[in-house]
């Protein structure tokens, strides 16, 4: 099972410091003795299945975070630049090992992911944003043979999920990245800084969006994700708000906690079927125009989108998808509440 305790300790510290598949639906998979926790193995075909590329990595010193390296994961042996995802990690996730499964999944599929660490404590929110942005910019400038800026995604979790919108706006508007394909994939997002109402209304027309929240999350108020999802100028047909709920099997519980997805606490079928599968499909739709990809990633509740695998006749909880999300729990459930004075968009909390 996934646990949030270490992350919550880090988040509590931060609070005090920084306040100055293809196209077929998943069915019961054959059991494969792999490295996933729980009885359900990773998909063997279609969206969410591992790609065939070998993963290569380049590391270079972070331009603003002394002693740390920015890492680029990419398909070994490529001879031309590949579509690229810029990933912003959660508080405390500055070691790529925390979520290495995700980065390697992207590279195995033939794409590039840039992982940029930023310090959790002792710096301001703006300084973290600057560290992420300058790292992404340096990766683009120094590795044009690997990174294709014409097809770009921004992806992030928690602090990184909130940051992905301002970073994507810089990339899409200021730099012109993503002219042939753009998306944002935000997970369990924290407060969103450096984004104005005017910014939210100026994303390019080809921008796609998946916003994910997790039912067992007690860290970030779902209202934070709902606010941005409802106020961004992406039409409903090109965005979906997705809730993942836990599934209890006789011998294993697939939890939907704040830390989903990650490779350190419980690397299991929820990482693959709940996150990687949708990301895989969103990439295919955003960058290749695949109708099958849209049906899985942005299917507006289609069977191919929401259906999770089964084990011994028991299906995992389906994904819940909507274009008009509403909060299911009071703000008191969460550590970081929408109505906090630390939320720069507090006026949008209902």
């Amino acid at each position: 099972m996934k646990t949030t305790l270490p992350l919550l300790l880090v988040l509590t510290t931060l609070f005090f410091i920084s306040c100055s598949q293809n196209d077929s639906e998943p069915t019961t998979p054959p059991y494969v003795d792999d490295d996933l926790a729980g009885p359900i193995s990773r998909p063997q075909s279609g969206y969410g299945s591992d790609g065939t590329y070998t993963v290569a990595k380049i590391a270079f010193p972070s331009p603003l975070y002394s002693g740390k390296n920015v890492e680029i994961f990419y398909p070994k042996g490529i001879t031309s630049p590949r579509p690229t995802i810029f990933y912003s990690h959660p508080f405390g996730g500055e070691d790529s090992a925390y979520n290495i499964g995700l980065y390697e999944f992207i590279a195995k599929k033939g794409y590039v992911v840039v992982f940029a660490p930023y310090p959790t404590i002792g710096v301001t929110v703006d300084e973290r944003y600057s560290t992420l942005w300058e790292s992404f910019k340096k990766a683009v400038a120094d590795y044009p043979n690997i990174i294709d800026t014409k097809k770009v995604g921004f992806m992030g979790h928690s602090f990184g999920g909130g940051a992905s919108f301002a970073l994507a706006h810089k990339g899409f508007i200021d730099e012109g990245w993503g002219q042939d394909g753009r998306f944002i994939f935000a997970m369990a997002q924290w407060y969103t800084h450096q984004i104005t109402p005017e910014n939210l209304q100026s994303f390019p027309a080809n921008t796609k969006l998946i916003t994910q929240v997790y039912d067992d999350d007690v860290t970030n108020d779902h209202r934070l994700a709902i606010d941005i999802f409802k106020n961004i100028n992406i039409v409903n047909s090109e965005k979906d708000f997705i809730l993942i709920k836990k599934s209890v099997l006789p011998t294993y519980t697939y939890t939907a906690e704040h830390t989903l997805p990650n490779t350190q606490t419980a690397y299991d079928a929820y990482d693959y079927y709940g996150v990687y599968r949708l990301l895989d499909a969103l990439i295919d739709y955003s960058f290749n125009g695949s109708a099958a990809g849209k049906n899985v990633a942005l299917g507006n509740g289609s069977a191919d989108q929401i259906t999770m695998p089964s084990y011994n006749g028991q299906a995992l909880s389906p994904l819940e998808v909507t274009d008009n999300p509403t909060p299911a729990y009071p703000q008191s459930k969460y550590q970081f509440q929408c109505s906090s004075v630390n939320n720069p968009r507090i006026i949008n909390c209902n």
Side-chain angles (χ1 to χ4, degrees), residues 266-283:
Y267 187 39
D268 61 29
Y270 263 28
D271 295 69
Y272 268 85
Y273 286 93
V275 181
Y276 299 3
R277 178 176 64 95
L278 299 179
L279 173 62
D280 194 5
L282 183 63
I283 290 171

Side-chain angles (χ1 to χ4, degrees), residues 132-293:
L132 287 164
W133 178 243
E134 293 303 324
S135 297
F136 295 156
K137 284 268 289 180
K138 184 170 177 57
V140 168
D142 290 356
Y143 297 97
N145 59 320
I146 293 175
I147 295 173
D148 176 8
T149 57
K150 291 191 281 300
K151 295 181 178 181
V152 165
F154 283 84
M155 187 176 189
H157 186 281
S158 193
F159 180 93
S164 290
F165 293 93
L167 296 168
H169 193 269
K170 285 177 178 286
F172 298 160
I173 301 298
D174 297 347
E175 303 296 326
W177 299 348
Q179 60 188 21
D180 294 337
R182 298 178 170 103
F183 71 82
I184 303 168
F185 195 122
M187 301 172 286
Q189 68 193 64
W190 194 65
Y191 304 129
T192 298
H193 291 256
Q194 296 186 3
I195 197 87
T196 67
E198 293 75 22
N199 293 154
L200 284 174
Q201 289 301 307
S202 63
F203 277 88
N206 67 338
T207 309
K208 326 297 184 191
L209 170 64
I210 285 180
T211 296
Q212 277 195 349
V213 295
Y214 309 123
D215 199 51
D216 300 325
D217 191 351
V218 294
T219 302
N220 289 342
D221 190 344
H222 289 180
R223 291 165 182 80
L224 305 177
I226 290 170
D227 165 32
I228 300 297
F229 184 86
K230 286 188 171 182
N231 286 291
I232 199 167
N233 69 318
I234 301 173
V235 297
N236 286 345
S237 63
E238 302 300 293
K239 66 180 181 180
D240 271 338
F241 190 96
I242 300 172
L243 172 69
I244 300 181
K245 291 186 171 182
K246 72 179 176 183
S247 298
V248 181
L249 300 182
T251 60
Y252 187 82
T253 297
Y254 290 94
T255 61
E257 297 181 354
H258 179 73
T259 49
L260 178 70
N262 80 81
T263 313
Q264 288 192 326
T265 59
Y267 187 39
D268 61 29
Y270 263 28
D271 295 69
Y272 268 85
Y273 286 93
V275 181
Y276 299 3
R277 178 176 64 95
L278 299 179
L279 173 62
D280 194 5
L282 183 63
I283 290 171
D284 196 22
Y285 173 50
S286 300
F287 298 162
N288 305 318
S290 168

Side-chain angles (χ1 to χ4, degrees), residues 121-139:
I121 60 175
V123 295
T124 65
V125 168
D126 287 344
E127 287 172 324
R128 295 187 194 99
Y129 275 45
S130 293
T131 299
L132 287 164
W133 178 243
E134 293 303 324
S135 297
F136 295 156
K137 284 268 289 180
K138 184 170 177 57

